[in-house]
Every structure is written in structure tokens, then in C-alpha cells.
Amino acid sequence: MSSVPAFVPAQPGDDDPPPRPSRRWMSQKTLIVVFSSVAIALYGYDQGMMSLINTNRSYLRTMNISEDSPLVGVIVSVYYLGCMFGAYIASSLADKLGRKASILACLLTSMIGDFLMFVPGIYPTESDNAWDGGSLALMIIGRIVLGFGIGGIDAVIPVYSSELSKDGSRGSALAKEFQANIAGLCVAFSLNLGLTYQLGKDSQWAWRVPIIFMQIFPLLLLFIVRRLPESPRWYVSKARMDDARAALVGLHGEAQADIVLDELETAQREEEDERIGYIDMIWYKGSQFHPSVIAIMGQINQALTGYGAVSVYGPQIFELLGLGVREAEWTTLGNYVVYFFMMTVAWKTIDVFGRRKLMVWGSAGLAACFAVLAVLGGISVDVLHSPKLSVEILGSVVLFLSTSIFGVTWLTTAWLIPTEIYPSSARAQGSAISVIIWGLSNCAVTFLTPIGFNGLKYWLFLVFAMTNTIAGWLTWLFSPETGGRSFEENQKFFISARGDRSWVVKKVDGGKFLDMPQSPEEEQGEAPKDNDDAKGGPTEATPLLGGSIEPE
């Protein structure tokens, strides 16, 4: 087994070493929480932003399209194609130049894409100009470039966060960040709705202002990114040991820094003999093919829940239940607010019940909710032939409930699992694969949903009921429980699966990965698992903050 290379001091031109501990207005732990949360909120803001832009008449005239044109879905969905390529590029940068450098590049890219979306058809004395098709082309280009930036953020931030979180609280840490994601969605939709209410759907500023307002997020992130610590795991992988130690000291002080650094070096030596590339992850004989299938399946299953459509086309979905346009818009805002507060339940439960149970239960609940919505839609359209208040209220309550179920059970889990099942040398690539599949899946969903509105009407709810049933069944069969276990312990599932010649969870290692671990002894046989009490500090597998990333 090869050893970790001798320490190579940072040379001029290398990334600046992490700042030494000093008196600050905010601790590094708190700064990590703020940064990661605002970055994830940027992704949520885009979803909420497009909901009402899609129905703004000035916007539609500028794009020279009708509200029921398939191009409405195309403009929304090409963003996800950009996310795919952005995830791949950002993950490569994250491994070569560091997590921080990759995030910085993604922020600058997202600002450029957002500006390109703002300018189509704009003149000092004129609005709604299609520029002979140039406005539509520029909007599509802007959406793709924005996708490059935000897709990269989506790929790198979960990895960055999980590498700085304790094993028993990784889910809680990421769920809190995704609560910020929903906060971003709420801010975007509220701003959009307020401007639409004040200026009307024929005002160009009702759709341009929400777009340019997005710049606040990356500007704020650029302001604080230089004060963030780089991942000590990444420093160790590049043999920059004093930088790794400095980052650890900044995170939790001198006393624990050397203990954790020793653990990181040990883990690096164990993984160093196996260099992992994308071929190893997507080729069926590759060493990381099985984890990649789990990551891919999780994102496809999340898309099958249908909530990419609810986030982007919320008002139109409420209209399917019989609500008028204005009522549907305000009800959508209420739905998003409830969504935000229910995310508190997500970060309270994800590390208690585990990922697997939440996803299976969530799929069952969502399938039931969408089946009820299909019945209510049929009653409103085909039986009553007109909107009925009782149907509208009951349908809205069920849709609120289904949104809450999704937030608690599916929103975080599909993003968390890919950060838990790969070795350190493949974690960034694994997260990138997850984002690429998320982009493809949501591209398909957001493109097809407007077509479903026009062709299937309320039957679209029945389609979502069926896809949720499929998602739950696939999760129950093949997705292992990764909560409460270290990154290294989760690798044992895939080793055992090869030995047992099965990918079905209940047939692997006696079904041990069906549930959260009950005790350390059960997880490691007769040898108790090392913990903070035994060693006087956090282990490498429970790494860097010695606890969840929480404000001090």
C-alpha cells in the first residue's frame, strides 16, 4: 500500500491557504451554514422565478410565443441541460482546483446567464420586442448558461457540506440547506406575484425585475466565499497537510486538529491505490458502477414524484382543480410557505428514520394524494362541469399535503445519498452524475408537463400517482439505508452485494442495510465502532466539525 506523499508546501500562485483563526464577526461553522444555504437558495429561486414569468403576457410577446406553446416548456427545460454539463465541469474543477474554486467559477457563470435572460427585447423606449427571433434565442442561451452555473453549485455544495458534517447529522445538515432552497423559491414567487399584482401581466418589469434580482444571491456568495475553509479532505488528497491542518484549526481548534488530520491521512492512504474515473462509475464492470446506479435511480425516482412540475408550474396545477388564475397564484404561494415550514420536519426526521424509509413512505403518500387529486379533478371537470368551492378547497388541501410529504421524504434524500456511498476520490464525480441525471429527468418532466396540462388535464394527476408507485417500489428493492453510517461503512454494502451476487437490499449481508444501524457493535461485529468518547475527538469517518454544521 502506498503512503501519502510527503507534504508539498503551497507555491506562489496556489490557492490561498485558509485563514488562521482570529476574532471574527461570524465563526467558520456559521459561515459554512450561511454560504451553503444561500447557494442552495439560488437554485430554489430559479424554480419560483419561472412560475409566473411563464404566464406574463409581455414576456410571451417578447418571446413571440403563446401561453400554450411547447416552447414555454422548452425555455424552462433547457436550463436542466445546462445543469448537466455544469455538474460535470464543476466536479472536475472541484477535484483539481478545490471545492471553493469550483464554486467561485459556478457563481460567476450563473451571473452571466442571469444577465443574458434579463436583456432580450429590452429598449429604452420600447418593450415586448421579439428582435426577429433574437429574444427567444438569447433567452434560451441565458437559461443554458445559468444552468451551467447552478448545476455546478448543485454538484459541489452537497459534497462540500457532507465532507464537513458528522455521520449522524449529515442528513440534518443538508435538509437545513434545502429548507433555504424552498426559502429561495418563496422569495422568487412572492416577488413575482407582488410585481404582477401591482404592475399587471402586460408589464415587462413584472418579469424582468425578478430575473435581475437573482444577482443578489451570487453577489452575496462572492462576498463571503474567500473567508470559507477549503475541505481538509481535499487538501489531504493533494498532500497539502499544513493547509489541511490550518483548515481544521479554523473549524474546531488546535486540540482536535491533529487527531482529525491523522484520520484523514489514514483514509487517504486506504483509497490511494484505486484511482477512480467516470468509466469506473458508468461501465457495468467498473468498481463504482453499483453506487452510480443507486445515485441515478434516486434522481429518476425523485423526478417521477412529479414535484419538479409542481415547483415550476404551481399555478397551472391549481387551475386544474378549478381555481381561477388569481386564486391559483395566491394559493400556490401559500403552498410554498407551508412547504418551507414542513422542511423543519425533514431535518428533524431524516437522521432518525433514515433515508430509505422516508422515501418509501413518501412515495406511498404521494401516490395516494395524486390519486385523490385525479378523482377531484374529474368531479370538477366531468361531473360538475364547473368549479365547485368544496372541490377546490379539498383539492388544495390534498395538494398542500402532498407538497409537505415530498419535502419531508424526497427533496433532501435523493441529493444526500450520492454523497454517502462513494469513496472520497469519487465523491465529486458521483455527485456530478447525480446532477446530470437530475437535469435529464427534470428536463423531460418540465418539457412534458405543459403538454400534459393541455392534453391530459386532470388525468395528469393519475400519471403522477402511477410514477410514484414505481418510484417507491424501486427504492424498496434496491436503495440501501445509508444513514447513521460512515462513508467507509456504506462501502461495505457494495462489497457484500458482490459477494452475495444480488443488488436487492434484503438479500445483501443478511438484510443489514434495510434499516438504520441499531448499535455500533452490530455494524462492526465484535469490534465496537470508534467514537468521540473512545478517542477524545471526532473520527475520520465522523469528520470535521465534531458535530452537525450548526451556528454557534
Side-chain angles (χ1 to χ4, degrees):
M1 179 181 297
S2 61
S3 61
V4 174
F7 163 66
V8 179
Q11 300 297 320
D14 283 352
D15 291 344
D16 293 336
R20 301 290 178 176
S22 61
R23 295 184 66 86
R24 297 183 176 90
W25 62 277
M26 184 182 292
S27 71
Q28 285 195 342
K29 292 181 183 181
T30 303
L31 201 61
I32 294 168
V33 175
V34 173
F35 181 83
S36 298
S37 298
V38 175
I40 296 297
L42 175 61
Y43 154 53
Y45 185 92
D46 177 79
Q47 290 181 304
M49 177 184 71
M50 292 306 295
S51 292
L52 289 180
I53 288 177
N54 290 329
T55 62
N56 183 284
R57 290 187 288 269
S58 169
Y59 166 78
L60 294 171
R61 289 193 295 268
T62 303
M63 298 301 112
N64 196 27
I65 57 178
S66 62
E67 188 173 345
D68 59 355
S69 169
L71 286 174
V72 172
V74 170
I75 294 172
V76 173
S77 61
V78 293
Y79 159 81
Y80 295 102
L81 296 179
C83 288
M84 292 166 41
F85 294 103
Y88 173 78
I89 295 171
S91 68
S92 298
L93 288 176
D95 282 338
K96 293 177 181 178
L97 302 179
R99 311 318 191 203
K100 282 179 57 178
S102 180
I103 292 170
L104 177 63
C106 292
L107 292 174
L108 294 173
T109 303
S110 68
M111 293 177 69
I112 294 171
D114 180 67
F115 182 76
L116 292 176
M117 292 172 57
F118 173 76
V119 298
I122 192 170
Y123 283 94
T125 59
E126 185 179 0
S127 64
D128 305 349
N129 195 307
W131 285 356
D132 295 327
S135 292
L136 176 61
L138 191 57
M139 176 60 73
I140 290 175
I141 292 171
R143 291 287 293 167
I144 294 173
V145 174
L146 179 66
F148 265 78
I150 296 183
I153 290 171
D154 289 343
V156 178
I157 289 292
V159 173
Y160 181 69
S161 175
S162 69
E163 288 182 341
L164 298 174
S165 300
K166 187 177 178 180
D167 295 333
S169 61
R170 290 189 304 260
S172 175
L174 194 60
K176 290 173 184 177
E177 292 172 14
F178 271 95
Q179 188 168 34
N181 167 266
I182 307 307
L185 186 151
C186 289
V187 168
F189 194 86
S190 298
L191 177 63
N192 221 326
L193 183 57
L195 289 170
T196 299
Y197 185 77
Q198 291 295 324
L199 303 177
K201 287 183 176 288
D202 289 298
S203 170
Q204 65 167 326
W205 300 112
W207 67 270
R208 292 190 193 276
V209 171
I211 289 176
I212 202 64
F213 185 85
M214 182 188 280
Q215 296 281 352
I216 291 176
F217 290 89
L219 285 173
L220 176 61
L221 294 168
L222 287 171
F223 177 73
I224 63 176
V225 67
R226 293 294 294 175
R227 300 184 66 243
L228 288 171
E230 179 56 85
S231 167
R233 284 177 180 266
W234 180 80
Y235 276 138
V236 170
S237 72
K238 299 300 180 183
R240 293 172 58 173
M241 301 308 172
D242 71 336
D243 287 343
R245 187 180 186 281
L248 292 169
V249 169
L251 288 169
H252 52 247
E254 293 276 354
Q256 300 298 326
D258 290 329
I259 296 174
V260 179
L261 184 59
D262 287 343
E263 298 287 350
L264 292 175
E265 291 184 66
T266 299
Q268 177 66 21
R269 284 194 296 268
E270 290 174 352
E271 294 179 4
E272 205 168 44
D273 290 336
E274 184 179 12
R275 296 299 179 184
I276 299 171
Y278 279 103
I279 295 299
D280 299 304
M281 305 175 81
I282 61 176
W283 181 243
Y284 76 100
K285 292 184 178 179
S287 62
Q288 298 301 313
F289 179 69
H290 188 180
S292 295
V293 172
I294 299 298
I296 290 169
M297 183 185 70
Q299 287 294 356
I300 291 177
N301 286 346
Q302 188 190 65
L304 290 176
T305 65
Y307 262 80
V310 174
S311 296
V312 178
Y313 302 110
Q316 295 93 317
I317 288 180
F318 278 102
E319 287 177 38
L320 290 178
L321 297 172
L323 276 71
V325 173
R326 184 55 54 84
E327 291 81 6
E329 291 171 350
W330 285 103
T331 305
T332 299
L333 177 59
N335 189 34
Y336 292 159
V337 171
V338 172
Y339 193 2
F340 170 79
F341 284 108
M342 287 303 296
M343 284 303 297
T344 303
V345 179
W347 55 262
K348 290 286 188 182
T349 59
I350 192 168
D351 289 319
V352 175
F353 296 107
R355 295 74 164 120
R356 175 183 163 85
K357 283 183 179 178
L358 287 180
M359 291 188 291
V360 172
W361 292 347
S363 292
L366 288 168
C369 287
F370 279 119
V372 171
L373 289 172
V375 172
L376 293 175
I379 292 173
S380 178
V381 175
D382 291 338
V383 177
L384 301 176
H385 303 291
S386 64
K388 181 83 171 173
L389 183 60
S390 59
V391 174
E392 294 171 6
I393 293 175
L394 182 57
S396 297
V397 169
V398 174
L399 193 51
F400 273 52
L401 176 61
S402 63
T403 302
S404 299
I405 291 172
F406 174 80
V408 172
T409 62
W410 270 99
L411 178 62
T412 304
T413 48
W415 293 98
L416 178 62
I417 290 173
T419 72
E420 298 181 312
I421 58 178
Y422 290 102
S424 294
S425 57
R427 203 164 292 138
Q429 299 100 306
S431 185
I433 289 174
S434 177
V435 175
I436 288 170
I437 300 304
W438 166 80
L440 277 172
S441 303
N442 281 277
C443 178
V445 169
T446 53
F447 174 71
L448 294 174
T449 297
I451 298 174
F453 288 148
N454 298 322
L456 297 176
K457 303 299 182 184
Y458 62 85
W459 288 105
L460 183 63
F461 294 132
L462 188 58
V463 172
F464 286 147
M466 296 171 61
T467 55
N468 272 285
T469 301
I470 294 172
W473 178 67
L474 290 174
T475 300
W476 180 79
L477 281 178
F478 300 115
S479 186
E481 179 53 65
T482 58
R485 296 180 170 95
S486 70
F487 299 135
E488 291 75 23
E489 288 166 346
N490 282 326
Q491 290 293 301
K492 295 178 182 178
F493 171 80
F494 303 102
I495 296 171
S496 298
R498 287 195 291 271
D500 294 332
R501 297 181 178 274
S502 177
W503 285 13
V504 177
V505 177
K506 69 177 182 179
K507 295 182 179 180
V508 175
D509 200 4
K512 184 165 66 174
F513 287 84
L514 286 168
D515 298 297
M516 296 268 285
Q518 298 301 310
S519 69
E521 289 75 14
E522 290 178 4
E523 282 301 292
Q524 293 194 352
E526 297 180 359
K529 176 183 173 182
D530 290 338
N531 53 43
D532 290 0
D533 294 334
K535 297 193 69 171
T539 66
E540 186 281 331
T542 55
L544 304 180
L545 298 183
S548 62
I549 302 179
E550 301 236 2
E552 291 184 332

